[in-house]
């Protein structure tokens, strides 16, 4: 790919590995959350604006000036019985030269046949990890999951099986769930845990900021965890850089520049702002870092954690 880098110095352009992308082709796979009727009640709000095909060529156009060199696809909410179909579809795109470089697939870790599901997903060469969204909140309008699986013994047993296949886990949850999940992660140091979307703070909860800080602190204390600097619209749909900057900087301070990954979360994040606003925010965030640290955040950490095998040292 030949797009201009997100920022550069005369001697070293910075290359971008997008650590969190979603593709879908609605004629091939069913995505219940992208089907009408649409409303504003759920945690994503009205998704009608993105309820259309989003393929790799669409993504390259959307981030044409980010310096994109590789992408990590994260499961996109396909109907549960089509999880493996989604992975096969993505792998076929990649084999044809137009697909993601790595895949974080969906698997129900609380399913009775979880071992078979993980075996089938891990057999595909680009699968690097699994995501099962865990977000549960007392307010039904904020829930992604019908029940809180973070303390469920069967789900925790399924999580442990990720180590059998060398798979990482993309963790999307709310801060109140983090202490239990940090304790689980501590028992399984072989499973890399990558926190999604800045930990999704719920700032209008009574102690929302405090819960987020405590939860991230517990996770960041584990050396096999990392965090994605993405999903700014989940902090506030009308986010501004000034509002989210303290949270982004605090996450970097907790995890360090070797365990933070910049990601677009497109097309979902486009519900809240155009891609260039996110690009500008991440450029402003990282402008004061060393060139080496910028390279880590924009690409090298994703390359290492998702085992892409790229050469991003220069």
């Amino acid at each position: 790919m030949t797009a201009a880098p997100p920022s550069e110095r005369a001697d070293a352009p910075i290359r971008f590995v997008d650590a969190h992308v979603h593709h879908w082709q609605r004629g091939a796979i069913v995505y219940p959350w992208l089907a009408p009727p649409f409303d504003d009640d759920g945690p994503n709000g009205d998704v009608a604006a993105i309820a259309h095909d989003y393929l790799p060529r669409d993504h390259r156009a959307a981030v044409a000036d980010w310096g994109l060199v590789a992408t990590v696809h994260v499961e996109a909410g396909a109907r549960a019985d089509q999880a493996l179909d989604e992975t096969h579809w993505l792998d076929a795109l990649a084999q044809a030269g137009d697909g993601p470089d790595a895949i974080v697939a969906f698997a129900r870790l609380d399913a009775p046949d979880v071992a078979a599901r993980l075996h089938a997903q891990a057999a595909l060469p680009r699968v690097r990890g699994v995501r099962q969204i865990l977000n549960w909140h007392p307010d039904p309008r904020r829930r992604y999951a019908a029940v809180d699986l973070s303390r469920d013994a069967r789900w925790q047993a399924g999580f442990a099986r990720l180590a059998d296949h060398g798979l990482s886990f993309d963790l999307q949850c709310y801060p109140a769930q983090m202490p239990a999940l940090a304790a689980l992660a501590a028992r399984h140091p072989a499973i890399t845990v990558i926190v999604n979307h800045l930990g999704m703070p719920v700032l209008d909860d009574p102690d929302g900021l405090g819960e987020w800080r405590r939860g991230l602190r517990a996770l960041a204390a584990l050396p096999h965890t990392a965090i994605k600097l993405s999903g700014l619209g989940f902090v506030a749909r009308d986010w501004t850089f000034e509002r989210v900057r303290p949270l982004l900087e605090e996450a970097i301070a907790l995890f360090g520049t070797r365990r933070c990954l910049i990601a677009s979360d497109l097309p979902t994040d486009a519900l809240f702002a155009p891609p260039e606003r996110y690009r500008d925010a991440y450029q402003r965030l990282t402008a004061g870092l060393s060139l080496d640290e910028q390279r880590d955040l924009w690409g090298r950490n994703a390359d290492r954690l998702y085992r892409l095998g790229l050469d991003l040292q220069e």
Side-chain angles (χ1 to χ4, degrees):
M1 300 178 186
T2 59
S7 64
E8 67 176 58
R9 301 180 185 182
D11 58 340
I14 298 174
R15 287 168 286 181
F16 176 47
V17 177
D18 196 340
H20 201 107
V21 179
H22 304 297
H23 297 309
W24 46 71
Q25 187 171 29
R26 295 174 66 206
I29 307 290
V30 177
Y31 300 89
W33 70 287
L34 293 174
F38 301 113
D39 59 52
D40 200 44
D41 283 343
N44 291 338
D46 186 341
V47 301
I50 60 169
H52 54 76
D53 291 355
Y54 191 80
L55 299 173
R57 62 176 177 268
D58 303 308
H59 187 63
R60 289 194 296 273
V63 297
D65 54 358
W66 290 47
L68 184 70
V69 296
T71 60
V72 178
H73 183 279
V74 178
E75 64 87 18
R79 199 174 66 195
D81 65 342
Q82 288 196 297
L84 191 58
D85 295 334
E86 180 187 53
T87 311
H88 278 289
W89 172 69
L90 292 163
D91 195 60
L93 289 179
Q95 288 185 47
D98 191 30
D101 299 271
I103 299 169
V104 176
F106 174 80
R108 267 194 58 201
L109 298 183
D110 57 326
D113 61 343
V114 62
R117 294 180 189 224
L118 292 178
H119 178 80
Q121 291 284 12
L124 289 155
R126 291 170 182 83
V127 172
R128 299 291 188 271
V130 161
R131 181 175 79 159
Q132 181 179 5
I133 290 177
L134 300 178
N135 296 76
W136 187 90
H137 192 278
D139 182 351
R141 293 171 299 176
R142 290 193 179 274
R143 291 177 193 164
Y144 290 80
V147 297
D148 184 3
L149 291 171
S150 65
R151 300 175 186 274
D152 182 87
R154 186 166 65 178
W155 185 87
Q156 292 186 359
F159 175 88
R161 288 182 176 271
L162 294 171
D164 298 340
H165 303 281
L167 296 173
S168 61
F169 185 71
D170 261 54
L171 173 59
Q172 182 175 318
C173 67
Y174 286 128
Q177 299 172 287
M178 290 178 182
L181 290 162
L184 173 66
R187 298 196 295 271
H188 300 285
I191 302 171
T192 299
V193 173
I194 304 169
V195 180
N196 287 188
H197 306 331
L198 198 57
M200 297 185 72
V202 186
L203 297 181
D204 54 0
D205 274 358
D207 188 27
L209 186 58
E211 279 190 326
W212 176 78
R213 283 178 171 151
R214 291 189 296 274
L216 278 199
R217 204 171 287 130
L219 287 164
L222 306 173
H224 57 292
T225 63
I227 190 167
K228 293 181 182 179
L229 308 181
S230 60
L232 304 184
F234 298 120
V235 177
R237 293 184 189 178
D238 58 347
W239 69 271
T240 63
F241 180 65
E242 291 70 23
R243 185 173 185 183
V244 299
R245 182 173 193 163
L247 302 175
L248 290 162
E249 291 180 339
E250 192 162 349
I252 294 173
L254 284 169
F255 284 85
T257 56
R258 288 277 291 168
R259 293 193 288 149
C260 293
L261 301 75
I262 290 172
S264 75
D265 188 35
L266 287 173
T268 309
D269 261 14
L271 291 169
F272 313 114
E276 55 268 23
R277 272 190 59 200
Y278 293 95
R279 177 206 62 209
D280 292 349
Y282 299 133
Q283 286 182 359
R284 291 175 67 185
L285 175 72
T286 58
L289 299 177
S290 71
L291 180 57
D292 204 46
E293 290 170 325
Q294 290 184 52
R295 286 175 176 165
D296 282 342
L297 267 70
W298 283 96
R300 292 194 306 205
N301 293 340
D303 176 32
R304 183 183 75 254
L305 290 168
Y306 287 113
R307 308 184 303 283
L308 300 182
L310 304 174
D311 180 9
L312 301 179
Q313 296 310 306
E314 298 297 331

